[in-house]
Amino acid sequence: MVVEDSLKICTVCASNNNRSMESHKQLKDAGYNVKSFGTGSAVRLPGPSADKPNVYEFGTPYEDIYNDLISQNCRKIYEANGLIHMLDRNRHVKTAPEKWQNNAYAGKFDLVITCEERCFDSVLDDLMYRMYSKADENDVKQIVHVINVDIKDDNENALIGGKGILKLVNMVHEFRSKKKVEGEDESTVLLEDQMMNILTEWQKNHTHLPTLYSVSYY
Amino acid sequence: MSFSPDQIVEQLDQAKNLAYTDASTYPQVLRQILNFVTSPESKIQLWCVQFLKESFVENKIANHSDKVDLAIDSLDSLVFLSNIPNLHIFKHVISISSVIYRLVFRYVAENDGCNPIWSKLTELKNSLVNKFQSNFPLEASDNEEFDLFRNIDTKIELVKFMMLVIDYQSKSTVINGSSSNGSVSPPPNTFSLNNVTTTHSLIKYSNMEYEAVNLLDLLLKTFSNNVIVAPLITATLNHFIIIMKRKPQYVTKILNMVENYDTNAKFQSNYQSLEEFKLAKKYVDRIFRVFLFHILRNNLVPTNYQNTLNKKMNQLVERGNDIRKKNIFVINEPNIRKRKFDGFLNPTKKIKTLDYKNLYCLNDINSDLNNFDLTSVPQHILTQMVVTALKKASVNKVTKALEIISERYTDAILGPGVAIKKEDADEDDDDDDVGENYNPETVYTLPPPTDLSFQEKKEHISIIIKNFFKLANNPNGISPEEEKVGDAEEGINKELTKTAINSWKKDSWLVLLTRLATRGMRSAVLQEDEDNEAEKSPDAKANEEMSDMIRTAIFDYFLDNIHSRIDLIIEWLNEEWYSEKVFNEEIQIRKAKAQKAVKQEASDDAIVDTPPVETAKVETPIYNKWAGKVLDSMIPFLEPNDRKIFIRLLSDLPYLNEDLVGRIKSLCLDPVRIKIGFLSLQFLIMYRPPVKDVCLKILTQLSESDQDDLREEAKKLLAKYSV
């Protein structure tokens, strides 16, 4: 299934493993044009104890991480806390976790959905930096909607959050496909004009998933 | 031979493919295509603008010098396209202009003296920038506040272009040239006013910086609005980072705004829900926090601002943490106030559903208020409510409201694909409730009008009088078209004109007014019982009083200018006498008939003759009274040369008696006006035989006067006429 006229969407969390990957999968399954990234300095996954996380560089294939984890002694813990299952899911969605700050190769997105306030801040901060650090005379800046949907970083909440994000993306696309009713004010069909409206409506039904929103350029 | 738009698009597609496959043909193809921009077909225009976008924005033109030349050649077309009110076209034009502006600006900077190119570029720039505050390509609504929330789409695009202009038209001084990761930012090839020679004849430094600062002020306006338009605010603030980085001369402007901006000081808009407002506040606070964090961490803040901005950031962080995990919809924020509403909640000028509700409804169409059944309110209260409401409403607002409704109506009538029932358009507006309850069997009757109190009647009469005199004083008030209306009307109106007035002339008001006084108010008396005749009923008295109001008004009008209004007075008094005479005759005849009936009953004998009513004996006291008043008011002011008008009056008054003629006597006693007096008497003796005797009587009295000249003149006339 492919959504025709899908916006270019990406989901973002810290390590590009749990929350952004769960929603990546859900959006992908729904047929949207979607990618996902992480804003952290490295991919950090739970380790045998809180002070011993498993750290990988962005770009390390999920397959490799998966193999690394099942080869470790505390494989049972990883199976119990869902880590193994998560990586198994991830490796069927895409090859490796990607870093937001280095994602120029992926082109520009219309809609960036972050899963944590910290990531939202990082994305906007990075977009500000890109604003003045690039000087391509031919480049025309493009508008990007950045939305944060705050999701707790665990399996269950990633699933719930992913559903919420899918619903939001559906709402945006349903709105876009809405034809202007003859005689209606054109403003009622402009996404930028109605984005706040859509977010408010969505938020009313998802009070457990607090939002942030900003328009930016890049 | 002409082609259909589809055929043209097909040909354009072929041309485009040629340009894409053979780059050497690109310039030629593009220039040819520019000719189609002015096509009236929006389909073709859209095609052209898409092609230009592919060419300039998506870099289909490989050769840079070609690109510059083509950019220059496209200026005219872009100026043209920038004024086409089409959202898609306009958005593309902004993007294309962002590329072209840079190319051409640099070209002009390097090639001093190319005035026409520079002025075209300026024209394009102004055409775009000037639209930031309008709602182009959308039409402005009736309400400024509503417009702030409309067309954000285009505004966000324009912000981008304006930032670019600011960047190019001002000097750059990059703050912290190299960043932490070692790369130089911004890269050295960033163009700005620095790259233009200071002696450039077209790109003048002072003008450029002046314009740039004006544009910045325009962008800052978004933040001084007392409502929060979150998408536009966040977009603008995000883009300001370029100015923070490269334009230290403008940094204070932005930082002052950031320092003073507080979402808590803003109002909830009438065009956003409370929930939306709460979210907008949260979103905007967050983006200020991100902005502050970025500029503080990257040392883009002058030292004198650091303290306050750090404080500001901490404040925002705290505010954010407070609500972070909360459902902000349930947080009680008693300080939220709504912006004062000065518009309509439903101001659209296009009608969505063809019904009266959608035509007239200016408040929220879903508001419960609309379900209130006004027919349950007694009519007199309803009228009072309407009148009070109209009195209270500002003229501007009512005018705007009417404008909206009339536009909706026109739109509905003229709009494509809207089938309106013929009778809907023709019928009165009162049939709102003809709907599901409609039953053709029921006969609709208006409720009987409530009786007016005497005081109300008097008030209305005085309004009527006022209106008539307004007409009298404004003879030009009636246009020729209006005069003809009577002739053109059909049916009832035609019948009406037959009995009343064929066409409105300058003096028609007087006919209507006098007839209203003399005949219009009299019907009640006719039904009087003969026994009560002597004592008039209260109704009759009241009517009399109202008639007298009109008479007094006419009389006063006459007094204002006796000389020129004598015709009017004659017309009135004739009406007065005639109607009184006819009316009183009627009473006498009826009386006589009644007597006859009584007599017939009494005597079984055959026929009893009806005694003929002697018209001469019919009294006209009202006429007599007012004719007397007219003479009394006139005589003291007559001047020797007023002879003509006075004699005219005497000759045209329908009836004179001893009392009325007797008033001439005083004229004869005045040495200055003795001539008028005697002349009048002589005239009456000669031309109004019924009063000849009365006149002779006066002359006899005068001949016994102790004034010599008076006596002589009287005797002379007596000798002549008393045969």
Side-chain angles (χ1 to χ4, degrees):
Chain A
M1 187 171 75
V2 174
V3 175
E4 273 179 47
D5 201 24
S6 164
L7 290 172
K8 286 191 73 182
I9 308 166
C10 76
T11 56
V12 180
C13 68
S15 294
N16 193 201
N17 258 293
N18 184 25
R19 295 163 294 182
S20 62
M21 282 306 282
E22 174 58 40
S23 44
H24 182 156
K25 183 180 187 300
Q26 290 199 25
L27 289 172
K28 190 183 170 196
D29 290 349
Y32 289 104
N33 176 354
V34 61
K35 289 193 173 357
S36 60
F37 303 95
T39 55
S41 52
V43 176
R44 274 164 223 278
L45 298 177
S49 65
D51 58 335
K52 285 182 192 157
N54 286 298
V55 181
Y56 306 91
E57 266 188 52
F58 276 103
T60 313
Y62 293 114
E63 187 78 46
D64 294 0
I65 302 175
Y66 178 84
N67 292 331
D68 181 42
L69 292 176
I70 51 172
S71 69
Q72 288 184 24
N73 292 336
C74 40
R75 174 185 169 163
K76 284 263 182 288
I77 302 178
Y78 301 148
E79 269 170 7
N81 66 12
L83 209 53
I84 300 291
H85 170 75
M86 179 184 86
L87 281 154
D88 185 38
R89 174 199 66 199
N90 291 352
R91 62 185 181 154
H92 292 105
V93 175
K94 66 171 188 178
T95 317
E98 298 162 82
K99 191 171 155 78
W100 163 266
Q101 282 83 350
N102 303 328
N103 72 357
Y105 61 87
K108 296 177 179 181
F109 297 97
D110 302 305
L111 184 57
V112 175
I113 299 173
T114 58
C115 302
E116 192 184 322
E117 291 194 348
R118 224 157 28 99
C119 304
F120 176 83
D121 293 351
S122 294
V123 165
L124 285 167
D125 188 72
D126 180 59
L127 288 175
M128 284 182 188
Y129 173 73
R130 291 190 201 187
M131 199 98 74
Y132 55 73
S133 62
K134 254 200 333 187
D136 179 359
E137 282 298 300
N138 292 315
D139 182 56
V140 174
K141 290 200 166 44
Q142 196 183 306
I143 287 166
V144 55
H145 299 268
V146 186
I147 299 171
N148 181 61
V149 175
D150 222 36
I151 304 168
K152 237 177 121 187
D153 197 2
D154 59 44
N155 296 332
E156 196 193 350
N157 279 296
L159 214 66
I160 296 169
K163 271 187 189 159
I165 288 173
L166 177 60
K167 171 76 184 153
L168 179 59
V169 171
N170 282 339
M171 277 170 80
V172 168
H173 282 79
E174 273 160 27
F175 176 82
R176 272 162 49 87
S177 66
K178 197 175 112 182
K179 282 275 179 325
K180 191 175 100 95
V181 177
E182 184 58 49
E184 212 176 31
D185 184 0
E186 248 182 307
S187 169
T188 53
V189 290
L190 292 179
L191 181 63
E192 280 73 11
D193 287 19
Q194 303 303 327
M195 198 62 170
M196 284 299 292
N197 231 329
I198 296 172
L199 280 166
T200 310
E201 281 314 304
W202 182 88
Q203 184 76 90
K204 280 182 190 169
N205 297 319
H206 300 83
T207 49
H208 56 288
L209 298 171
T211 51
L212 290 171
Y213 168 62
S214 173
V215 176
S216 191
Y217 304 86
Y218 81 132
Chain B
M1 184 181 163
S2 64
F3 295 96
S4 75
D6 287 330
Q7 284 171 312
I8 294 174
V9 166
E10 205 176 300
Q11 289 168 5
L12 290 171
D13 277 333
Q14 285 170 9
K16 183 170 84 171
N17 289 337
L18 175 68
Y20 285 177
T21 46
D22 181 0
S24 66
T25 61
Y26 209 110
Q28 199 195 339
V29 168
L30 191 139
R31 287 191 181 97
Q32 285 298 319
I33 284 172
L34 288 177
N35 295 326
F36 288 88
V37 159
T38 50
S39 154
E41 288 292 333
S42 62
K43 190 174 181 184
I44 295 170
Q45 283 180 336
L46 200 58
W47 189 95
C48 291
V49 89
Q50 254 149 8
F51 175 70
L52 289 174
K53 194 181 175 205
E54 285 166 23
S55 303
F56 290 103
V57 182
E58 288 156 26
N59 284 317
K60 294 282 186 200
I61 309 170
N63 183 318
H64 182 76
S65 75
D66 275 354
K67 202 169 175 181
V68 176
D69 288 346
L70 291 172
I72 292 168
D73 288 347
S74 305
L75 285 172
D76 281 329
S77 303
L78 281 170
V79 171
F80 177 84
L81 287 168
S82 71
N83 289 310
I84 306 278
N86 176 307
L87 268 170
H88 301 291
I89 292 180
F90 192 60
K91 272 176 80 170
H92 285 334
V93 167
I94 298 170
S95 291
I96 300 162
S97 301
S98 304
V99 174
I100 284 188
Y101 176 83
R102 287 182 281 195
L103 292 171
V104 179
F105 192 96
R106 288 181 89 142
Y107 176 85
V108 174
E110 287 154 15
N111 299 276
D112 197 356
C114 46
N115 303 37
I117 296 173
W118 177 244
S119 61
K120 270 182 209 169
L121 184 68
T122 310
E123 194 185 344
L124 176 63
K125 174 187 67 191
N126 290 341
S127 177
L128 294 180
V129 163
N130 291 342
K131 291 182 173 76
F132 182 63
Q133 279 187 300
S134 76
N135 258 299
F136 186 89
L138 265 56
E139 267 178 53
S141 77
D142 71 305
N143 187 283
E144 245 178 83
E145 185 189 343
F146 185 44
D147 280 344
L148 291 176
F149 289 87
R150 289 171 74 232
N151 206 14
I152 298 169
D153 191 20
T154 314
K155 288 174 198 163
I156 292 174
E157 294 284 345
L158 276 173
V159 165
K160 190 169 82 175
F161 180 76
M162 287 158 77
M163 295 279 187
L164 180 73
V165 174
I166 295 173
D167 197 21
Y168 262 55
Q169 294 199 173
S170 60
K171 285 181 80 171
S172 282
T173 316
V174 176
I175 305 173
N176 299 324
S178 53
S179 74
S180 48
N181 60 12
S183 67
V184 178
S185 66
N189 62 345
T190 308
F191 191 88
S192 73
L193 202 54
N194 305 23
N195 305 60
V196 183
T197 145
T198 46
T199 55
H200 201 287
S201 70
L202 296 170
I203 307 176
K204 297 205 170 67
Y205 268 52
S206 56
N207 288 356
M208 294 297 103
E209 293 261 3
Y210 175 77
E211 233 182 87
V213 89
N214 274 341
L215 285 182
L216 179 63
D217 286 340
L218 197 55
L219 289 170
L220 282 166
K221 270 193 174 178
T222 304
F223 298 87
S224 55
N225 285 329
N226 57 8
V227 290
I228 305 176
V229 186
L232 190 56
I233 285 184
T234 54
T236 312
L237 197 60
N238 276 316
H239 217 317
F240 271 158
I241 205 70
I242 286 187
I243 294 174
M244 293 300 300
K245 183 75 181 175
R246 297 185 200 155
K247 312 286 169 180
Q249 68 270 41
Y250 302 144
V251 158
T252 50
K253 261 183 185 285
I254 293 175
L255 292 183
N256 286 340
M257 178 279 289
V258 170
E259 236 177 35
N260 294 316
Y261 190 89
D262 185 3
T263 51
N264 280 342
K266 303 292 178 184
F267 295 102
Q268 179 194 344
S269 167
N270 296 288
Y271 297 95
Q272 65 189 170
S273 63
L274 181 63
E275 288 88 353
E276 188 182 323
F277 177 64
K278 283 178 161 183
L279 285 179
K281 277 178 67 175
K282 181 185 176 194
Y283 296 168
V284 168
D285 277 347
R286 188 69 179 207
I287 204 64
F288 266 90
R289 172 178 156 181
V290 173
F291 182 82
L292 282 166
F293 179 77
H294 187 98
I295 57 174
L296 286 165
R297 197 194 51 173
N298 291 290
N299 297 319
L300 301 178
V301 180
T303 37
N304 55 329
Y305 277 93
Q306 278 172 4
N307 265 341
T308 47
L309 291 182
N310 262 314
K311 236 187 247 169
K312 178 101 190 171
M313 191 172 80
N314 290 335
Q315 188 195 344
L316 289 174
V317 168
E318 234 170 78
R319 210 187 270 178
N321 290 345
D322 267 356
I323 55 172
R324 189 167 170 237
K325 294 283 172 200
K326 287 182 189 160
N327 171 8
I328 72 163
F329 293 159
V330 297
I331 299 174
N332 186 26
E333 286 189 74
N335 293 327
I336 291 180
R337 281 164 303 156
K338 241 187 179 175
R339 186 186 201 262
K340 193 171 174 288
F341 184 62
D342 56 359
F344 305 105
L345 283 171
N346 178 26
T348 169
K349 288 176 178 168
K350 304 208 165 159
I351 191 163
K352 280 183 198 169
T353 320
L354 275 185
D355 57 22
Y356 284 101
K357 186 177 173 185
N358 276 282
L359 176 61
Y360 285 107
C361 196
L362 290 166
N363 60 351
D364 183 357
I365 200 107
N366 298 318
S367 165
D368 287 341
L369 204 59
N370 296 335
N371 299 329
F372 182 74
D373 182 10
L374 275 174
T375 55
S376 63
V377 179
Q379 210 165 14
H380 64 281
I381 294 180
L382 199 60
T383 29
Q384 266 182 353
M385 278 166 60
V386 171
V387 171
T388 318
L390 281 174
K391 269 186 193 165
K392 275 190 175 174
S394 83
V395 177
N396 269 344
K397 202 166 178 186
V398 175
T399 318
K400 265 185 183 170
L402 292 174
E403 249 172 46
I404 292 171
I405 291 163
S406 87
E407 284 207 27
R408 282 184 195 167
Y409 188 75
T410 331
D411 183 62
I413 297 287
L414 304 176
V418 176
I420 215 165
K421 280 188 205 151
K422 186 85 175 113
E423 57 264 37
D424 273 1
D426 290 343
E427 251 162 23
D428 289 347
D429 293 340
D430 316 350
D431 48 4
D432 283 5
D433 44 4
V434 175
E436 40 204 61
N437 297 332
Y438 178 69
N439 173 10
E441 299 300 311
T442 50
V443 177
Y444 181 72
T445 49
L446 284 169
T450 43
D451 282 342
L452 292 173
S453 74
F454 180 52
Q455 198 52 41
E456 283 170 323
K457 281 186 192 168
K458 267 168 75 175
E459 274 170 25
H460 282 285
I461 286 287
S462 69
I463 292 170
I464 292 169
I465 295 171
K466 259 189 218 154
N467 285 338
F468 273 111
F469 281 101
K470 224 186 255 171
L471 282 176
N473 293 324
N474 181 20
N476 303 327
I478 310 260
S479 63
E481 287 85 357
E482 279 176 273
E483 279 184 43
K484 281 181 203 147
V485 163
D487 302 2
E489 295 280 346
E490 296 278 330
I492 287 181
N493 287 340
K494 201 172 172 186
E495 292 306 309
L496 197 63
T497 46
K498 229 192 271 174
T499 52
I501 281 179
N502 283 325
S503 62
W504 188 266
K505 294 194 196 82
K506 208 179 118 202
D507 290 320
S508 302
W509 66 274
L510 181 71
V511 179
L512 287 176
L513 198 54
T514 51
R515 289 196 178 165
L516 183 61
T518 58
R519 306 180 196 187
M521 314 251 191
R522 237 193 224 144
S523 54
V525 188
L526 259 179
Q527 284 139 24
E528 290 250 313
D529 209 278
E530 55 176 301
D531 299 334
N532 300 339
E533 204 222 356
E535 271 184 45
K536 284 181 177 166
S537 73
D539 255 357
K541 268 189 205 159
N543 285 338
E544 190 86 39
E545 203 179 315
M546 287 189 288
S547 291
D548 277 351
M549 281 171 70
I550 301 177
R551 291 183 181 112
T552 313
I554 299 176
F555 182 64
D556 289 343
Y557 182 68
F558 164 65
L559 289 185
D560 280 349
N561 191 343
I562 288 174
H563 294 94
S564 70
R565 290 176 185 167
I566 194 83
D567 286 341
L568 176 147
I569 222 72
I570 291 169
E571 199 168 338
W572 164 42
L573 289 174
N574 272 294
E575 282 284 351
E576 198 72 60
W577 177 81
Y578 174 77
S579 69
E580 195 174 13
K581 182 96 178 165
V582 170
F583 185 78
N584 288 346
E585 247 174 42
E586 174 81 16
I587 292 176
Q588 284 196 4
I589 291 168
R590 288 208 307 177
K591 245 195 243 174
K593 272 186 188 163
Q595 276 170 1
K596 183 181 138 188
V598 173
K599 275 184 190 168
Q600 246 175 350
E601 248 174 58
S603 61
D604 292 341
D605 296 317
I607 308 139
V608 178
D609 283 338
T610 316
V613 176
E614 280 186 67
T615 44
K617 278 186 187 168
V618 176
E619 295 291 330
T620 55
I622 300 173
Y623 164 81
N624 294 355
K625 178 181 144 197
W626 288 93
K629 276 182 98 157
V630 166
L631 287 174
D632 281 349
S633 66
M634 212 177 160
I635 285 169
F637 300 105
L638 282 177
E639 282 173 18
N641 47 3
D642 284 337
R643 208 163 28 125
K644 266 190 186 165
I645 60 158
F646 188 62
I647 289 188
R648 174 103 209 274
L649 176 71
L650 290 179
S651 94
D652 285 355
L653 281 180
Y655 171 71
L656 289 171
N657 59 16
E658 192 175 346
D659 177 49
L660 291 171
V661 176
R663 294 166 204 242
I664 299 172
K665 214 165 106 182
S666 70
L667 272 176
C668 302
L669 297 173
D670 182 344
V672 185
R673 300 181 300 168
I674 184 167
K675 265 198 174 163
I676 295 193
F678 279 109
L679 207 62
S680 311
L681 288 172
Q682 193 182 357
F683 174 87
L684 290 176
I685 292 167
M686 286 168 72
Y687 295 108
R688 299 201 69 155
V691 288
K692 186 179 173 186
D693 287 343
V694 179
C695 292
L696 289 175
K697 202 169 149 190
I698 294 170
L699 283 176
T700 316
Q701 283 166 9
L702 290 173
S703 65
E704 287 156 19
S705 157
D706 49 6
Q707 264 177 272
D708 283 350
D709 50 346
L710 192 65
R711 206 165 51 225
E712 255 185 56
E713 189 67 33
K715 279 184 179 166
K716 213 168 83 191
L717 286 177
L718 270 176
K720 198 171 173 186
Y721 293 111
S722 66
V723 179

